[in-house]
Amino acid sequence: MNFSEVFKQSNQLCKVSPDGKYLATCVQYRLVVRDFNSLQIAHLYTCLDPVMHMEWSSDSLFILCAMYKRGLVQVWSLEQPDWHCKIDEGSIGLVSSRWSPDGRHVLNTTEFNLRVTVWSLCTKAVSYIKYPKACQKGVDFTADGRYMALAERRECKDYISVFVCDDWHLLRHFESETQDLAGLEWSPNCCVLAVWDNCLEYKLLLYSLDGRLLSSYSAYEWSLGIKSVAWSPSSQFLAVGSYDEKVRILNHITWKKITEFEHPATIINTKAVVFKEVEKRPVVGSEDLSIHQLTVDNSLFSTQSKYEITQLPAQVPVIKPDPDRANPKIGISALAFSADNRFLATKNGSFQVLSLFWHCSGSSLVLLSKEHICLCYVEAEEEK
Amino acid sequence: MSPSRQNLHHSLHSTMALPKTSYSVLSAFCTEENISQCIAYINQEVCSLGLTGVSLESKSGSLSAVPVLNLLYEVLQLQRRAQRALHELETQQLKNGSDLEHLQHSNCRLKDQLEHTRRDNSGLHEGERQLQLKIKTLQNWLKSEKEEVQKLQSIISSRATQYNHDTKRKERECTKLKERLNQLLMDKRDKKLSIEISNHVGRSDGKRGLWKTGKMEARHEGEMYKALLSDYETRQRSLMMENSELKKVLQHMKKDMITILSPKKPEPANDSLEQAVSECEEEIGDPSRETLEQSCEQAREQLTNSIRLQWRKLKSHMERLDSQASLVASQEREGEEMMSRKEHEEEMQRMRMELQQCKEFIHMQQQLLQQQLSSPCDEETAALLNDCYTLEEKERLKEEWRLFNEQKRNFERERKNFTEAAIRLGHERKAFEEDRAAWLKTQFLNMTPFVDRKRSALSDSALSVGTEPEAKLQSTPPLVTKSLFSTPKAASVKMPSTADLYRTLHLIPDSRGHGKCQSGEMSTKSRLRNCSTDCSVLSFVRDENSPI
């Protein structure tokens, strides 16, 4: 395995273009675009302020750099390096900025979530959307990029607006039956919108594209509710992870629970295979440490870890979270379906995994923690 | 005094009544003659009673009245006392009798009471037990309620922390807003929001932008509904497919169940089955009427009901079979080996397969035999078929011939190589011998000046006629080499046979009489020494040199 040299970056802003040809990194206020195969610098742009957020447009032609402190957004073009675009939100301030799915509109959320401004790069048109809701996931685009769902809050009630991304025409605006909407997500087939409530109430609502309420689901009352939601890629299943450490799967025909998965601290299921990471640190005597050795011999400090299969029943270490704190670190915080609909990966409790996602072929799972990355390969059985 | 006297009289009479009868005995007791015995006897009796006795006066043998009267009085007293005691005893006895009766009554009463209290006791025990039970259930309920209360409290506390957290967050946001508002009010210059763009880019899909009109809105609506409809259609299609597959499975199941149950069950069940089957098949089996199928609720219900019925029958049948099997198994369990049903079935399956195989084998054999015995249709086929049995052998023979030829070729090749090697060897030897001869010549020349010329002439002649096969020289080493040199010449002309080769190499006896040129011993010596290699020949030659 070869490694490239180490490049500098700031704010963990390092993204590969959607077409896979370029790699963009931000170093303070500079945007460096490299060719992916050769890692040669293809373009170099300078922004006006340290960049807080960077995003590729969907067609890989433009890069958006947002500087929240100064309320500026700068857009750079790869085809024409001398093309420039600067969006100034003025005194209103900027909280978040993102591309639209067609890659020609920039959606800026102003400070205090006062409004969402839609800037068009094609025309001089500017659209405003009032009262967006500041929640875990208030905006979602459909997979085909045709519709956008936005959560709004007016007069202590939650509303959902569906916009057509073509010309930002408001298609539907309806009231949501949630107490305090926490997030919404389109199904991959773009026809159903899953809306879930705050953790204080377990409520999952399913709306169709035209705003009709298809079904609502609530597993229990009073205890802390939904923490994370994920659709399966075929839109057949909806996985709901909650604070009671269980994942419940709903089916798309009746929207009723078909199964639920538990995360017990002791694993006794005979069909489960438990992998445990075992770290081996080389033992170093204190007399051996000299400056020379420290600089030259890196392997002294590298820890090698390998994975062993532990015997069942296996005990998973559980850290009890502080019950007096809000948003406790218990429950299912991350869910991911594999692309071939066969596997569901869940993260329960306070493990150090920050994110997990599948490779597009569905054969491996990537786990990211603060300092480490781990790839888990799944052996798929041959089906005859 | 008189009543007592009367009483006494009465008592005397009463007591006397007895003695009246006994008076006659008394009269018989005391007579004139036995006064003293009577007196002695009475004294004895009186003494035993504890009274003073009466003494006999010696005067005339008559008793003095005073002691007798005293005695009598004492006896009367005694009698009275006894009477009184008797009376008392009688009264006492009466009293005891009544007491006994009273006690018996009270005993009965107490027994009844005891019974009654025992019953009460058991009733109370029962009541106590029930109350204990109730206490337990109440305690459990209390515990569960407490747990629930605790749970609710924890929920409330977590909710409260969440609310507090949210409130704090909102408050912080509010203060930030207020600050910002203040700042904006203070701040005179208002930065307008704007976009600076060098030039507008085209749309991603390359089309021109369209105006927002009512038609556009309608189009959007239409597109949205189209998307929804297509999704519903795909879903419906998949569900229909699933439905039809499940129906097929049900049909198969039903057919199987019918076949399983029909030999056991009599006609009536079959009739209803067949009726249902025919009905269903009419309406469902026909693919052209699929649209009707959806609306035939009745048919669907009938199908499912009939299947349920059959399934229940099958289940009961299986249960019966199971019980029978277990019964039979328990009967057989004494001595015989018990085979489980599965093993039995497997065994049967295997045997059936074996049987099948054997049958096939026999059939094949028969066919072959018939073919063999039956005459062929015409001569050509007969001729062709003539050798068919030995075909395999012929093939094998061919193969062996081929191998043999190959080996022969290899052998020839090897022989050729061998002869070439021998030729080369001969050449080398020749060269070596020449050198040696030259050396020897020089030696001779140095050693013997007299026979110098002779020897030299000899050696010259030897060298010159090196190739002559028959040189008649006596015990000189060149002779040996000469005879050996015959081979190269012969070999250069044509490939010698193996026999010649060996002959020349002195490996086999020489028929052409080469032995003449040497003394017998030498030839034998050479023959003995020479096996087949050049080294040995040379060593022989060298050995001959040594004596020199």
Side-chain angles (χ1 to χ4, degrees), chain A residues 185 196 202 204 226 228-232 236-242 246-251 259 261 332 335-337 344-346:
Chain A
E185 190 161 331
W196 62 93
Y202 195 125
L204 182 79
I226 300 175
S228 58
V229 170
W231 283 96
S232 76
Q236 284 174 322
F237 305 113
L238 180 60
V240 182
S242 47
K246 286 193 192 155
V247 177
R248 292 175 176 85
I249 312 269
L250 312 180
N251 76 83
T259 181
F261 297 119
I332 317 292
L335 292 168
F337 274 96
L344 172 67
T346 62

Side-chain angles (χ1 to χ4, degrees), chain B residues 241-300:
Chain B
M241 249 172 37
E242 217 181 303
N243 212 10
S244 64
E245 271 174 37
L246 287 171
K247 273 213 182 92
K248 266 187 234 155
V249 169
L250 272 177
Q251 292 275 5
H252 285 139
M253 266 175 61
K254 210 168 94 144
K255 282 194 195 111
D256 284 339
M257 279 200 277
I258 288 167
T259 49
I260 288 169
L261 289 173
S262 48
K264 305 278 183 237
K265 293 285 164 174
E267 274 65 46
N270 247 358
D271 279 341
S272 65
L273 240 139
E274 278 166 13
Q275 200 185 31
V277 167
S278 57
E279 265 182 34
C280 299
E281 277 177 354
E282 266 173 23
E283 300 188 26
I284 291 166
D286 194 353
S288 63
R289 287 195 264 172
E290 240 180 67
T291 48
L292 272 177
E293 164 203 332
Q294 290 165 23
S295 58
C296 280
E297 277 282 334
Q298 269 189 352
R300 219 175 27 243

Side-chain angles (χ1 to χ4, degrees), chain A residues 341-367:
Chain A
N341 269 326
R342 292 175 75 207
F343 302 105
L344 172 67
T346 62
K347 179 202 146 194
N348 178 34
S350 57
F351 286 106
Q352 293 299 317
V353 174
L354 289 177
S355 76
L356 48 83
F357 49 93
W358 289 88
H359 187 265
C360 51
S361 67
S363 61
S364 55
L365 177 69
V366 182
L367 297 170

Side-chain angles (χ1 to χ4, degrees), chain B residues 146-291:
Chain B
K146 275 191 184 149
E147 275 171 20
E148 206 171 310
V149 161
Q150 255 181 339
K151 203 168 62 137
L152 284 171
Q153 273 176 345
S154 70
I155 286 169
I156 286 170
S157 65
S158 69
R159 286 178 84 88
T161 46
Q162 200 75 26
Y163 284 132
N164 287 337
H165 178 80
D166 280 339
T167 318
K168 280 199 193 111
R169 195 163 44 92
K170 289 216 158 49
E171 226 181 283
R172 265 183 245 128
E173 212 176 308
C174 202
T175 46
K176 261 202 278 184
L177 259 173
K178 282 184 194 161
E179 276 173 32
R180 197 57 192 282
L181 196 61
N182 272 330
Q183 198 191 28
L184 283 172
L185 286 171
M186 303 297 185
D187 206 356
K188 292 300 168 196
R189 47 189 181 87
D190 191 14
K191 289 192 285 176
K192 287 264 189 262
L193 52 93
S194 63
I195 176 168
E196 285 171 30
I197 186 166
S198 39
N199 53 285
H200 289 289
V201 289
R203 279 162 60 96
S204 55
D205 50 3
K207 293 190 212 149
R208 281 191 300 118
L210 300 161
W211 292 105
K212 266 192 201 174
T213 57
K215 215 162 65 168
M216 284 296 294
E217 288 181 23
R219 200 160 68 91
H220 285 309
E221 291 271 321
E223 273 175 18
M224 177 188 81
Y225 283 122
K226 246 190 269 178
L228 274 175
L229 271 172
S230 64
D231 176 59
Y232 281 132
E233 268 167 22
T234 47
R235 228 193 283 178
Q236 204 227 3
R237 246 179 278 137
S238 65
L239 284 172
M240 286 261 291
M241 249 172 37
E242 217 181 303
N243 212 10
S244 64
E245 271 174 37
L246 287 171
K247 273 213 182 92
K248 266 187 234 155
V249 169
L250 272 177
Q251 292 275 5
H252 285 139
M253 266 175 61
K254 210 168 94 144
K255 282 194 195 111
D256 284 339
M257 279 200 277
I258 288 167
T259 49
I260 288 169
L261 289 173
S262 48
K264 305 278 183 237
K265 293 285 164 174
E267 274 65 46
N270 247 358
D271 279 341
S272 65
L273 240 139
E274 278 166 13
Q275 200 185 31
V277 167
S278 57
E279 265 182 34
C280 299
E281 277 177 354
E282 266 173 23
E283 300 188 26
I284 291 166
D286 194 353
S288 63
R289 287 195 264 172
E290 240 180 67
T291 48

Side-chain angles (χ1 to χ4, degrees), chain B residues 401-440:
Chain B
W401 266 108
R402 199 177 56 78
L403 272 165
F404 176 71
N405 287 335
E406 212 175 319
Q407 275 176 7
K408 194 170 161 189
R409 274 200 294 274
N410 287 342
F411 191 65
E412 286 290 335
R413 223 181 303 131
E414 274 174 30
R415 195 203 287 172
K416 191 165 105 183
N417 291 339
F418 192 47
T419 47
E420 277 177 6
I423 291 164
R424 250 182 288 124
L425 169 68
H427 281 302
E428 281 169 21
R429 214 181 282 151
K430 183 177 168 190
F432 175 72
E433 286 304 315
E434 282 174 9
D435 285 352
R436 211 181 63 88
W439 185 79
L440 281 171

